[in-house]
Amino acid sequence: MDLPEALRDAIETQVMEHEPAQAALVLRNAVAELGADEVAGGLLDAAAVALRRMVAETDEAFEQVELLDRLALDGAVPADNIDLLARMLTMSASTAGGVRPPIEGIVAELGAERALFGAWLTVLSVIRVVAINLERTEVDIADEVVTAVDAF
């Protein structure tokens, strides 16, 4: 399994087929084959694709604190994961802006499981936020993301 295939399968399984347990298995298998650094980096790259699309269409950016508060308030992200999402969202936003920070340090600091959870949470949160902001469905945004991921 290569990285684009794993990312596509995981995102489609979670967002389009609503099978979170199966999506987790896809990611677990990808990590076993490719390593945590590569999978976490790929997930953050996928989130960056959605962010770039949103900015290209709206020419607007979110204030991070407001966005995180909104995600916590509506229950989309548990409060104890907001700091993790903030770190990973910053990495994806930086990548969307053209500067990809190294993922290895954060994986080493947080541990592979926590870093991968954060990267996955970031992809799903970004897909949701971009869909809302562009007034489209999460499936539409996920489809665009997986199409772009295929080109990785």
Side-chain angles (χ1 to χ4, degrees), residues 1 5-7 9-11 13-14 19-33 39 116 120:
M1 172 181 296
E5 178 185 2
L7 297 174
D9 288 352
I11 291 169
T13 301
Q14 175 78 34
E19 295 287 343
Q22 186 62 34
L25 288 174
V26 169
L27 290 173
R28 184 188 74 190
N29 293 339
V31 169
E33 192 169 320
V39 175
L116 286 159
W120 185 237

Side-chain angles (χ1 to χ4, degrees), residues 45-68:
D45 288 348
V49 167
L51 290 170
R52 268 194 301 261
R53 180 143 341 249
M54 182 192 72
V55 171
E57 288 188 32
T58 66
D59 202 28
E60 296 177 6
F62 288 113
E63 291 293 328
Q64 185 183 39
V65 172
E66 291 174 19
L67 174 61
L68 294 171

Side-chain angles (χ1 to χ4, degrees), residues 54-122:
M54 182 192 72
V55 171
E57 288 188 32
T58 66
D59 202 28
E60 296 177 6
F62 288 113
E63 291 293 328
Q64 185 183 39
V65 172
E66 291 174 19
L67 174 61
L68 294 171
D69 286 347
R70 189 170 87 195
L71 289 169
L73 183 64
D74 74 7
V77 177
D80 60 338
N81 289 318
I82 289 293
D83 289 338
L84 177 62
L85 178 59
R87 289 181 74 181
M88 297 298 194
L89 186 59
T90 298
M91 293 182 77
S92 283
S94 180
T95 300
V99 179
R100 187 178 194 258
I103 189 73
E104 298 81 10
I106 201 161
V107 171
E109 177 189 339
L110 298 175
E113 186 174 324
R114 185 90 173 129
L116 286 159
F117 171 76
W120 185 237
L121 179 63
T122 300

